[in-house]
């Protein structure tokens, strides 16, 4: 799942009704990102993670491409190198995320992916030489305590590999957002950033699938692919709208509702049990992510 990280702040004089609408759009986005995870987990019974990523990004490439052509947008970009770097890192992150969803409880996989703000803050120090405030340092420490608590039963069991890959999806997502931020500073339109990510991921999936076996798309499983593509697209559009008309920090904080919705879906559909330690760990990660996004 990809989240914009450096949208412009809403103007101070934005009417209250408008930024409340932005908050509502982020709630919609969080719900549909949770539903996307639902379709990924259900689809994993019929398709590999590589196939699911391919169909999800192919749907996005088609819809974004058609919309751009309708608006007569320009696809040519002077920053292709940044797009390729961001696309490859983001694609691998999405692969790991979908694999984690397929092999872990939905709430655990989603929470591990939502460690990306922590890794973004850490990478900003290591790569961009930025300085962190005391609050940001405390947020990182708090977040990684939560990660250890959440991964402890997974690492002790048979699904330790999926747990580490899920954490890796958060790391790579944070790294990908560094490129998103740089593209934003270069003045690259948001639609083009999302389009090239989807395009590069689709091409990457098509290449990888040459070394794997395609599973047949039938009348009994095509609804899973359509649901995956539709929920991901609606979530992306709603999130974009939320950041455009709402307040950045409010929208960023509300994005963590995806963890809540995913937990509820896991309980309702698969009867996932949530231990006290897991609940505490998820709470720590969410709080630390909110604090890290305010650095």
């Amino acid at each position: 799942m990809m989240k914009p990280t450096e949208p412009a702040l809403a103007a101070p004089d934005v009417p209250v009704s408008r930024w409340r609408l932005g908050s509502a759009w982020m709630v919609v986005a969080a719900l549909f990102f949770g539903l996307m995870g639902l379709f990924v987990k259900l689809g994993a019974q019929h398709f590999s993670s590589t196939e699911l990523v391919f169909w999800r990004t192919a749907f996005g490439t088609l819809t974004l491409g058609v919309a751009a052509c309708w608006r007569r947008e320009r696809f040519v970009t002077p920053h292709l190198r940044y797009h390729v770097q961001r696309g490859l890192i983001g694609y691998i992150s999405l692969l790991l995320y979908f694999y984690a969803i397929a092999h872990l409880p939905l709430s655990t996989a989603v929470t591990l992916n939502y460690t990306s703000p922590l890794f973004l803050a850490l990478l900003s120090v290591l790569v961009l030489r930025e300085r962190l405030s005391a609050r940001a340092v405390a947020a990182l420490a708090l977040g990684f305590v939560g990660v250890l608590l959440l991964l402890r039963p997974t690492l002790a069991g048979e699904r330790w590999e999926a747990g580490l890959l899920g954490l890796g999806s958060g790391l790579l997502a944070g790294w990908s957002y560094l490129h998103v931020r740089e593209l934003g500073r270069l003045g690259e339109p948001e639609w083009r950033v999302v389009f090239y990510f989807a395009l590069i991921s689709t091409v990457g999936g098509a290449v990888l699938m040459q070394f794997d076996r395609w599973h047949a798309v039938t009348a009994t499983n095509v609804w899973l692919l359509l649901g995956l593509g539709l929920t991901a697209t609606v979530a992306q559009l709603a999130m974009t709208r939320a950041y455009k008309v709402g307040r950045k920090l409010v929208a960023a904080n509300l994005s963590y509702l995806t963890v809540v919705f995913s937990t509820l879906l896991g309980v309702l559909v698969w009867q996932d049990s949530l231990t006290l330690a897991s609940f505490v760990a998820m709470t720590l990660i969410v709080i630390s992510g909110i604090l890290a996004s305010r650095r």
Side-chain angles (χ1 to χ4, degrees), residues 16-98:
V16 173
S17 60
R18 188 176 178 188
W19 67 257
R20 282 181 177 173
L21 179 61
S23 299
W25 277 116
M26 183 52 78
V27 173
V28 172
L31 173 60
F32 275 85
F33 274 127
L35 290 172
M36 184 195 77
L38 170 70
F39 281 107
V40 170
K41 198 165 185 67
L42 292 174
Q45 301 174 25
H46 304 270
F47 305 97
S48 68
S49 298
T50 307
E51 284 177 290
L52 290 172
V53 173
F54 171 82
W55 291 117
R56 179 252 187 268
T57 57
F59 191 97
T61 302
L62 179 62
T63 54
L64 288 169
V66 170
C69 290
W70 180 266
R71 297 193 305 265
R72 297 184 178 180
E73 302 278 8
R74 287 175 53 85
F75 290 90
V76 178
T77 173
H79 310 298
L80 185 60
R81 178 169 64 91
Y82 287 103
H83 282 291
V84 172
Q85 291 174 350
R86 187 261 169 158
L88 290 176
I89 296 170
Y91 172 58
I92 297 173
S93 172
L94 202 56
L95 279 176
L96 299 183
Y97 182 40
F98 278 26

Side-chain angles (χ1 to χ4, degrees), residues 186-231:
L186 292 171
E188 196 72 343
E190 187 177 78
W191 77 266
R192 198 182 289 161
V193 175
V194 178
F195 172 78
Y196 273 104
F197 163 70
L199 177 62
I200 291 169
S201 298
T202 303
V203 173
V207 171
L208 282 184
M209 285 308 300
Q210 301 307 309
F211 305 95
D212 203 348
R213 180 174 67 89
W214 289 96
H215 292 84
V217 178
T218 65
T220 58
N221 61 31
V222 68
W223 67 275
L224 295 170
L225 300 178
L226 292 175
L228 172 59
L230 182 62
T231 53

Side-chain angles (χ1 to χ4, degrees), residues 281-294:
M282 291 167 62
T283 302
L284 288 176
I285 291 172
V286 169
I287 293 174
S288 63
I290 292 172
L291 293 176
S293 68
R294 295 187 176 193

